[in-house]
Amino acid sequence: MKVPELWLCLSFGCATSLSPSCLSAQFHRPGDFVLGGLFPFGKDTVNLAARSEPTLLLCERLFTEGLIWALGMRFTIDQINNSSSLLPGITLGFAIYDTCFEALVALQPSLLFLTRNGTAGIEVLCNYTEYQPRVSAVIGPHKSDLCLVTAKLFSSFLIPQVSYRASSETLSNTELYPSFYRTVPSDKNLVEAVVLLLNQFGWNWIATVGSDDEYGRGAQALFLSMAGNENICIAFEGLIPTELAEPSAQKQLEDIVKLINSTKVNVIVLFAFSLPAQALLEHSIRMGLGKKVWIGTEAWMLSDIAASIPNIQSIGTVLGFVPSAGTVPGFQEYVAELFSSVEQEEFCQESRERSGLRNAEELDTHCQQCDRVTLGDIRPLLRVATVQPVHVAVYSVAHALHRALGCTSKACPKTPIRSWQLLHFMNTLPFEVNGQSFRFDQSHGTNTGYKLIFWAWRNGTLTYLPVGDYDQSLYVRKSQIQFHTADQKEPTSECFRHCQPGQFRRIKGFNLCCYDCTDCPENTFLSSTDSTSCSPCPQHQWAPARSTRCRDRSETFLFWDEPLAVALVTLMALSTALSCGTALLFLKHLHTPLVQLSGGGRSLFALLCLVLLSLSCCLYVGRPSAGLCRLQQLSYALCLNGCFSTFVPKALEIALVTEFPRCAPRLLRWVTHGRAWLVVAASLLTQALLCACHLRLGPDFLVTDTQSLPSEVLLVCGTKSWLAFALLHGYNSCLAFTCFLCTFMVQTPGRRYNVARGITFATLIHFVIWIFFVVVFATLRTVLRAVAQVCTVLATTLGILVSYFIPKCYIMVFRPGLNTGDYFQNPTEEEPGEDS
């Protein structure tokens, strides 16, 4: 009879099955180095006593799963001991204990593992460097809650502990748990996979539920933090109570289902072990929650407990991630052979005899009621339970021992190795198991990736169908997933629709995840897809409505090829031609009474100024510059002053003769003949000084206006100082006002030409034009400002021509008979007292 196989019956009796008592099993085998094992075989008696028959079936399933894991450790140790290259000449032993799913129960064998080899006590020492505990390393336990208790204990003694199922991210803290390792991915990797799955299907309005334990709380907290960063909104988050036998637990489960139903989500993410998951699913079915998409994990998805719930197909679609784990060659044959030998009566007789010879110092809570567990009972779980993590865990310790001992392919030296000496080799070196390479990362885990599993029901039978893989990136075979919808297409689960480019989210209600999509207004853009407001464009750029980027503004001004500019230039040419034609006509009739009465050569000078004034319109068309902006007002003021300065001597002459006849003989010589040019020169000099003041106080400057037009930069000349503007143009207005006062009341004798009327109307037209110009010029901020100035220049030029010069041209061309000394007699030649 094979003595190593007697361990199977030492606690359970011959081919045992479940009983309502705690199945705290213990299996031992000596060796040069002993590995401790912590596996779940049962539940404590108190909790089981309050449970119904389905719970007993649950415990039987948990016992069987824990038994498979323990068998996996036993199989791996046998395989290593039979190897001629890994640890040649070295024998591995084991001491396996049941955790009963309870931290206090798991603590008892953990303390036993820490006792000095050959004793039952833990010595208190200042230096544990040479301390050798009973075991060299520990495999397990399987739950994160238990590992958080045992990991601190083993880390204090720096004993390697390798868990085959604990996935809590808290255990990744190597400062708190320096000797803790695991052969499964952490919850962080799992949550990343879940978030990618939600994004791939566009599910952004979901509920998440976790069991109220370390696994559920930790995984849910990680999920909530990652989901927020990926624009996934949590409509509801809840925890399933762990003490399901209490009356308050049922009320909490009902509240969870009601709240999930009120959110109208179609996707529920469930982080829980099989028993809490079973309770939630049962209540969902009983309360008619409706078909949803359930996203789960290995903790409950591969459990036949959840799958065996009555009417479980009505919950909808079940998807979930399980660690990618390969098969362990030879394990199923090993278990079949073991159970075949256990069924022999002589084997059972010897196991009963040996069970009474165990060391009394070891833990013993032997199951008193035993039935028969056959290979047929355990075979279904062999296809589902993942043994590879246990297999890899044992091999990681064996490879560390191989390197620590300095083994060769033929022999290992028999040197004592302390447990803490294994840590360096477990941290740094990779190891190979069944042709696959493994290595612990910086957080002492092995990220082997995940498989996406779909619950496929075929003829009432559940099949775990792989439909995707996750290893840093997610790949989903969507065509293999049959959703619960009528068209078997993925359902939608969103509180908001995905905004189009150029739309920002406007929150509605009190939930930040519910919003409307609003177009960005002009000159704003959406800087990122998750922004809740639009960003303004820089001043030199613009953007149309609903834009995702800004564009460079184009420059705008009064272009030469614009229709309005063409019309103004045409009118300028007409005004210039009219001024030139008038000047030629006056030059031809320079010595006639009409021209002499109008000022003679001064009239030609006035017409020359009007020609220059018309041509100055070219300064306002085309791209403006700082120099052109300075010239615009100066040219207008000087040219207009040159015209008005020729009117002043004639207006003063008329006023002296008609209003001050007694003073006229003495003063007329200063405003007539050659001395009249002195008045013109003095006026021009004064205007030139005012132009210098304008340049000094604040000349016009080039303005780059980005506010007036939505998509263009307006180049326009701006007024820097309105005081300088008033001084520059105020002098011409004073001259015009003086001429108006001197001429508007003058009466001419009958049958004589009234030369004063032309000056009166010319100055009056100037005042009317400037009233409109000042109002328009002060308010305009667009390209029309240049248009207004051009129109003012042309209107002033044409107004002076039409009111003062054109009537005289008419007489010279069409009424030459009137161009005589009698009709155009100079006022100075008349007698002062002559009757009008």
Side-chain angles (χ1 to χ4, degrees), residues 601-611 639 642-643 646-647 805:
R602 296 194 302 276
S603 295
L604 292 176
F605 181 75
L607 287 169
L608 176 62
C609 290
L610 290 180
V611 171
C639 292
C643 180
T646 62
F647 292 167
F805 290 102

Side-chain angles (χ1 to χ4, degrees), residues 118 223 246 263 365 420 464 479 499 511 546 591 614 623 696 783:
F223 175 72
E246 296 181 3
T263 60
T365 52
W420 58 268
Y464 302 108
S479 60
C499 294
N511 197 310
R546 193 170 168 178
H591 300 290
S614 297
R623 191 184 192 282
R696 180 68 177 175
V783 71

Side-chain angles (χ1 to χ4, degrees), residues 9-84:
C9 288
L10 289 182
S11 279
F12 302 115
C14 186
T16 183
S17 70
L18 184 73
S19 73
S21 62
C22 177
L23 302 177
S24 293
Q26 47 185 294
F27 313 129
H28 299 271
R29 189 173 70 188
D32 297 317
F33 296 94
V34 177
L35 303 186
L38 297 173
F39 295 93
F41 296 120
K43 196 73 173 171
D44 61 275
T45 307
V46 177
N47 285 344
L48 284 176
R51 306 300 294 167
S52 59
E53 185 64 23
T55 304
L56 295 180
L57 294 176
L58 163 67
C59 293
E60 182 173 355
R61 193 271 184 200
L62 293 175
F63 155 69
T64 309
E65 189 173 41
L67 179 61
I68 291 175
W69 287 330
L71 289 173
M73 178 176 175
R74 156 71 189 282
F75 166 75
T76 307
I77 290 177
D78 284 350
Q79 195 177 61
I80 293 171
N81 288 337
N82 292 330
S83 172
S84 60

Side-chain angles (χ1 to χ4, degrees), residues 620 632-633 773 777 784-794:
Y620 301 91
Q632 287 175 0
Q633 301 299 330
F773 167 71
F777 186 75
L784 295 178
R785 192 174 193 185
V787 174
Q789 294 183 82
V790 173
C791 290
T792 302
V793 170
L794 294 177

Side-chain angles (χ1 to χ4, degrees), residues 615-634:
L615 293 176
S616 69
C617 293
C618 295
L619 299 175
Y620 301 91
V621 185
R623 191 184 192 282
S625 63
L628 288 177
C629 289
R630 291 188 181 95
L631 286 176
Q632 287 175 0
Q633 301 299 330
L634 300 181

Side-chain angles (χ1 to χ4, degrees), residues 416-618:
I417 293 295
R418 305 293 181 246
S419 298
W420 58 268
Q421 293 177 293
L422 301 178
L423 297 180
H424 169 72
F425 299 99
M426 296 187 70
N427 288 339
T428 57
L429 297 177
F431 56 96
E432 190 173 291
V433 179
N434 296 328
Q436 185 177 358
S437 180
F438 294 90
R439 184 171 190 162
F440 292 111
D441 56 25
Q442 292 181 347
S443 59
H444 292 180
T446 56
N447 185 11
T448 55
Y450 291 91
K451 287 184 179 180
L452 179 62
I453 299 298
F454 166 62
W455 273 16
W457 294 93
R458 295 172 181 172
N459 299 323
T461 303
L462 175 60
T463 302
Y464 302 108
L465 181 64
V467 292
D469 299 283
Y470 171 76
D471 187 5
Q472 307 302 323
S473 61
L474 178 64
Y475 171 70
V476 180
R477 295 180 287 276
K478 294 184 179 181
S479 60
Q480 297 183 9
I481 304 176
Q482 296 180 350
F483 288 94
H484 58 270
T485 54
D487 57 359
Q488 296 185 346
K489 300 293 185 181
E490 62 264 22
T492 59
S493 186
E494 55 184 7
C495 178
F496 58 88
R497 58 188 177 90
H498 289 286
C499 294
Q500 298 298 318
Q503 293 182 324
F504 70 96
R505 303 173 180 176
R506 187 183 297 278
I507 307 298
K508 60 180 181 180
F510 298 99
N511 197 310
L512 297 179
C513 294
C514 296
Y515 52 79
D516 291 323
C517 294
T518 305
D519 294 347
C520 286
E522 288 186 352
N523 288 330
T524 63
F525 70 103
L526 193 67
S527 57
S528 61
T529 55
D530 56 350
S531 296
T532 56
S533 62
C534 299
S535 304
C537 290
Q539 286 191 349
H540 65 283
Q541 292 183 323
W542 75 286
R546 193 170 168 178
S547 181
T548 57
R549 64 180 181 88
C550 293
R551 307 171 185 176
D552 291 334
R553 290 175 178 266
S554 60
E555 294 181 346
T556 185
F557 41 84
L558 188 60
F559 291 94
W560 286 99
D561 55 353
E562 285 186 36
L564 182 59
V566 172
L568 292 175
V569 170
T570 302
L571 189 60
M572 178 198 71
L574 178 63
S575 174
T576 304
L578 191 60
S579 300
C580 291
T582 303
L584 292 174
L585 191 60
F586 267 61
L587 180 61
K588 181 179 180 181
H589 300 84
L590 181 61
H591 300 290
T592 61
L594 175 58
V595 176
Q596 291 298 316
L597 180 67
S598 301
R602 296 194 302 276
S603 295
L604 292 176
F605 181 75
L607 287 169
L608 176 62
C609 290
L610 290 180
V611 171
L612 295 177
L613 185 62
S614 297
L615 293 176
S616 69
C617 293
C618 295

Side-chain angles (χ1 to χ4, degrees), residues 713-788:
V713 177
L714 176 63
L715 299 181
V716 66
C717 295
T719 302
K720 185 176 183 179
S721 172
W722 286 102
L723 174 61
F725 182 87
L727 288 174
L728 182 67
H729 296 288
Y731 180 64
N732 284 332
S733 298
C734 290
L735 291 181
F737 187 65
T738 301
C739 294
F740 179 79
L741 289 178
C742 291
T743 58
F744 84 103
M745 293 292 292
V746 173
Q747 297 294 327
T748 303
R751 298 183 304 278
R752 297 285 181 89
Y753 180 76
N754 192 344
V755 69
R757 289 291 175 266
I759 298 176
T760 302
F761 283 115
T763 54
L764 184 62
I765 289 173
H766 167 74
F767 285 129
V768 172
I769 292 173
W770 261 83
I771 290 173
F772 285 101
F773 167 71
V774 171
V775 174
V776 174
F777 186 75
T779 56
L780 279 178
R781 289 293 181 273
T782 65
V783 71
L784 295 178
R785 192 174 193 185
V787 174

